[in-house]
Amino acid sequence: MRKQIAYIVAFLLMAFSFNLSAQETSGTEEEKAFNPKETIFKHLLDEYSWELPFSHEHKISLPVIVRDYKGDWNIFWSSRLEHGQQYEGFYIAQDGPNKGKVESVDDQGNRYRPLDLSITKNVLALIIAALLCLWCVLSVARWYKKKHYKAPRKGVGAIEFLIEFIYTGVIKSTLGDKAPRFAPYLLTIFFFILLMNLLGLIVIFPGGANLTGNIAVTMVLALCTFIVVNVKGTKEYWKETFWPDVPLWLKFPLPIMPLIEVFGIFTKPAALMVRLFANMMGGHMIILSLISLIFIFGAFGAVVVGGITVISVLFSLFMLMIDTLVSFIQAYVFTMLSTLFISLAQVEGHHEGKTEKVEK
Amino acid sequence: MELFTPEIGLVFWMFVVFVILFVILAKFGWPYILRSLDERAEFIDKGVEYAQEAKSHLDNAQAEAKALLVEAQKQQMEILHEAAQMKTQIIEEARQAASVEAKKVMDAAAVSIEQARKESELQFRREVSQFALQIAEKMVRKQLSDDKTQVEMVDKLLNEIENQN
């Protein structure tokens, strides 16, 4: 087994070095001007089309939906904007503050950003993740409808294990009697984040979109938790927020404690948003950087590139494994903290001991 | 800094997709799953409880059976003991009854023997007296005629003889 791996590595090494040296002799301008920063950010950010695996040429065309300054909606395929083409006055900006986004020019000749609701790569990935999530969960539900008390097997069993793990381990143990009220939201959040995280790690088509490493996605998730926490919050929660149980001087002439509490209402979801975003984005960035190393060292000749390739691939494999773990942990942490914030907003009467325990 | 500015389009779609996903799952997915999970857990708990109960019942039953067996053995012993006692009693009774009966028979026999003896004695006396009379008659016929005093004397003599016996 070890011997086989060694052979494979050696073969890949040779193939890579041969390939690269061949390219060096032909000396294409593109390979020479490799810009790691640009490449990394291109992969981290959104795109209007989706590259098919193993090719820079073939892309999946996605619908661009924009509203211009006159209020008219325009829908067209992103292939119309390829290679700097213009379509009905819309083009992808090559520079300026809106670089990489659809821009247009108004009557006065000013460049502006139209309202852009395009189905981009990330949006399509979102939809794919949501469909996968639906399929996963509904297959479990279908199993229960059909085979009532029978324990699920294989894939359904694995999903059921996760549900059980989150439901009894996190939701029920924290929320107690109120668990069934909030469980649907929390479980949906968990599975959606988990699937988005894992899909983001798959490099080719159905995956590869840096979804949870995109602040817009995590912002919406955190906003949803924020809404659930504060809309479903009890009277006691609001009383504790604006008139907490502290000495009077802490809240009467100067509302120090209420101020801190109100501040806390907003920092909690903000922390959720940033934690998930930074973890997933960081993971993607490290892997992209490691892979970029190969191309950065491309100029140093076959032997160096070969060595760097092996090291980079091993490191990025290692990082991918860690990221798989992180994908799960981050989905878990997001769910757990959401549960915690909900439970903190569900205080009834004076259960000081209980809330303290939860805070720990 | 493009990385840190949320894109309006993506926020919009994310919100739409997430809300649709949540609504569908909250309506058709989670309630079934959570209810079934709880039900199954309860079902399993009940099963375990039932099994434990059955086991304890079984253990009890074994103990009960053992106790019953011991009781039965005890009873058997008692019965045997009683039977033995009864047997000796019956034998004793039979023996007593037999001895009583035998005594009765013996008594009856003795009585009848006595009677027979008395009768035979009476007869014998009568015969003897007759013989004596005949003898005396024969003797006296030769000497005397029938004499009342002589018969009385003979009788008297006979009585004396009997008393001597």
Side-chain angles (χ1 to χ4, degrees):
Chain A
M1 189 67 198
R2 198 176 277 177
K3 224 175 189 179
Q4 277 176 331
I5 291 170
Y7 278 136
I8 290 167
V9 169
F11 175 75
L12 282 176
L13 241 167
M14 277 172 62
F16 262 101
S17 50
F18 178 74
N19 198 9
L20 278 172
S21 57
Q23 273 176 358
E24 262 178 307
T25 46
S26 64
T28 48
E29 205 57 38
E30 231 182 348
E31 291 295 331
K32 289 265 154 110
F34 174 73
N35 184 347
K37 194 185 161 203
E38 203 173 90
T39 313
I40 290 171
F41 273 76
K42 178 177 165 279
H43 280 96
L44 284 179
L45 290 169
D46 209 352
E47 278 177 291
Y48 284 99
S49 54
W50 204 331
E51 270 179 19
L52 282 171
F54 313 118
S55 144
H56 281 302
E57 297 306 314
H58 302 291
K59 290 180 175 178
I60 297 171
S61 215
L62 299 170
V64 176
I65 306 167
V66 283
R67 198 185 69 168
D68 60 18
Y69 70 103
K70 284 176 249 166
D72 296 330
W73 287 98
N74 288 280
I75 302 173
F76 50 90
W77 291 107
S78 65
S79 55
R80 303 233 183 222
L81 301 177
E82 288 287 316
H83 308 299
Q85 290 175 39
Q86 278 207 12
Y87 182 80
E88 308 226 339
F90 296 103
Y91 58 91
I92 293 174
Q94 299 298 325
D95 50 12
N98 301 325
K99 194 181 167 202
K101 302 288 175 199
V102 170
E103 256 192 353
S104 189
V105 180
D106 66 6
D107 284 341
Q108 279 85 45
N110 295 324
R111 288 163 68 175
Y112 73 101
R113 181 91 208 273
L115 181 62
D116 188 354
L117 298 182
S118 306
I119 306 292
T120 56
K121 179 183 171 185
N122 277 353
V123 176
L124 184 60
L126 267 180
I127 294 168
I128 291 170
L131 288 176
L132 252 175
C133 191
L134 270 181
W135 178 72
C136 283
V137 175
L138 291 183
S139 65
V140 178
R142 202 168 49 234
W143 176 284
Y144 278 126
K145 266 187 233 170
K146 269 189 196 162
K147 309 184 179 176
H148 219 47
Y149 285 143
K150 253 189 175 175
R153 316 267 179 229
K154 292 180 185 171
V156 181
I159 298 163
E160 197 238 54
F161 163 73
L162 275 179
I163 296 173
E164 175 100 55
F165 175 66
I166 295 297
Y167 183 56
T168 52
V170 178
I171 301 172
K172 238 182 182 176
S173 63
T174 312
L175 285 171
D177 296 342
K178 286 173 179 164
R181 261 180 81 197
F182 296 102
Y185 170 72
L186 293 164
L187 284 165
T188 309
I189 279 241
F190 175 77
F191 275 90
F192 196 32
I193 293 175
L194 182 65
L195 280 168
M196 284 196 291
N197 285 350
L198 291 175
L199 273 178
L201 295 180
I202 300 169
V203 196
I204 52 170
F205 165 61
N210 181 23
L211 270 182
T212 36
N214 191 306
I215 200 142
V217 172
T218 58
M219 194 184 83
V220 172
L221 290 172
L223 202 70
C224 287
T225 297
F226 175 79
I227 291 168
V228 171
V229 167
N230 291 294
V231 170
K232 299 277 181 181
T234 53
K235 270 183 199 162
E236 189 66 24
Y237 164 69
W238 290 109
K239 195 222 132 204
E240 275 186 12
T241 305
F242 291 112
W243 198 253
D245 259 342
V246 287
L248 192 67
W249 60 271
L250 274 173
K251 54 190 177 181
F252 177 51
L254 263 177
I256 303 169
M257 278 310 285
L259 216 69
I260 293 171
E261 294 278 357
V262 170
F263 191 61
I265 292 176
F266 294 100
T267 51
K268 282 172 192 165
L272 277 182
M273 170 177 86
V274 173
R275 176 179 289 111
L276 182 59
F277 160 70
N279 270 292
M280 295 319 293
M281 205 263 301
H284 280 255
M285 206 181 239
I286 290 169
I287 293 170
L288 284 168
S289 308
L290 283 167
I291 297 296
S292 296
L293 273 182
I294 300 170
F295 298 98
I296 291 168
F297 282 89
F300 291 89
V303 181
V304 179
V305 173
I308 292 290
T309 304
V310 172
I311 292 168
S312 301
V313 167
L314 285 179
F315 265 103
S316 45
L317 193 67
F318 175 67
M319 278 311 297
L320 270 172
M321 283 174 178
I322 288 186
D323 270 351
T324 314
L325 189 65
V326 167
S327 294
F328 177 77
I329 291 172
Q330 286 308 318
Y332 178 75
V333 166
F334 197 103
T335 314
M336 196 188 68
L337 288 178
S338 293
T339 316
L340 215 67
F341 297 154
I342 289 172
S343 82
L344 287 178
Q346 294 295 318
V347 278
E348 300 276 5
H350 280 279
H351 300 306
E352 302 282 287
K354 204 177 172 186
T355 46
E356 263 172 39
K357 208 173 119 194
V358 167
E359 268 164 8
K360 275 171 198 169
Chain B
M1 283 300 101
E2 212 188 327
L3 217 51
F4 300 103
T5 44
E7 190 68 26
I8 299 289
L10 191 54
V11 168
F12 169 76
W13 285 115
M14 174 67 194
F15 197 75
V16 169
V17 168
F18 183 71
V19 166
I20 292 172
L21 177 73
F22 171 65
V23 168
I24 293 176
L25 288 186
K27 206 163 167 61
F28 302 108
W30 301 121
Y32 283 107
I33 294 172
L34 297 183
R35 208 178 52 219
S36 302
L37 272 179
D38 281 346
E39 272 174 13
R40 196 179 55 186
E42 214 167 277
F43 180 71
I44 291 168
D45 283 353
K46 262 187 198 160
V48 169
E49 206 174 291
Y50 180 78
Q52 273 174 344
E53 224 166 77
K55 195 180 169 291
S56 70
H57 269 302
L58 198 71
D59 289 349
N60 277 359
Q62 270 172 350
E64 268 169 34
K66 216 177 236 175
L68 226 67
L69 208 69
V70 168
E71 184 77 7
Q73 269 171 343
K74 214 164 132 190
Q75 270 182 354
Q76 191 193 21
M77 291 297 286
E78 262 170 34
I79 288 168
L80 279 176
H81 191 67
E82 243 168 70
Q85 254 180 352
M86 212 182 261
K87 189 184 81 182
T88 49
Q89 202 183 336
I90 286 168
I91 289 170
E92 192 64 30
E93 270 172 17
R95 191 175 284 154
Q96 271 173 6
S99 66
V100 166
E101 194 68 21
K103 207 180 164 212
K104 243 186 215 167
V105 170
M106 294 269 280
D107 284 357
V111 167
S112 68
I113 285 167
E114 184 73 6
Q115 222 162 10
R117 195 180 62 89
K118 267 183 184 162
E119 229 162 75
S120 60
E121 216 175 54
L122 217 61
Q123 187 123 13
F124 182 65
R125 187 191 270 188
R126 216 172 281 148
E127 275 175 15
V128 165
S129 63
Q130 241 162 11
F131 285 148
L133 275 178
Q134 278 170 358
I135 294 166
E137 201 181 79
K138 274 173 186 169
M139 272 170 52
V140 173
R141 204 181 283 165
K142 281 173 185 172
Q143 295 177 349
L144 304 165
S145 61
D146 261 2
D147 202 353
K148 216 179 184 177
T149 49
Q150 280 170 333
V151 171
E152 264 170 29
M153 205 184 71
V154 170
D155 204 24
K156 203 174 152 189
L157 284 170
L158 272 172
N159 268 345
E160 269 169 29
I161 292 165
E162 196 187 40
N163 282 347
Q164 272 172 4
N165 289 348

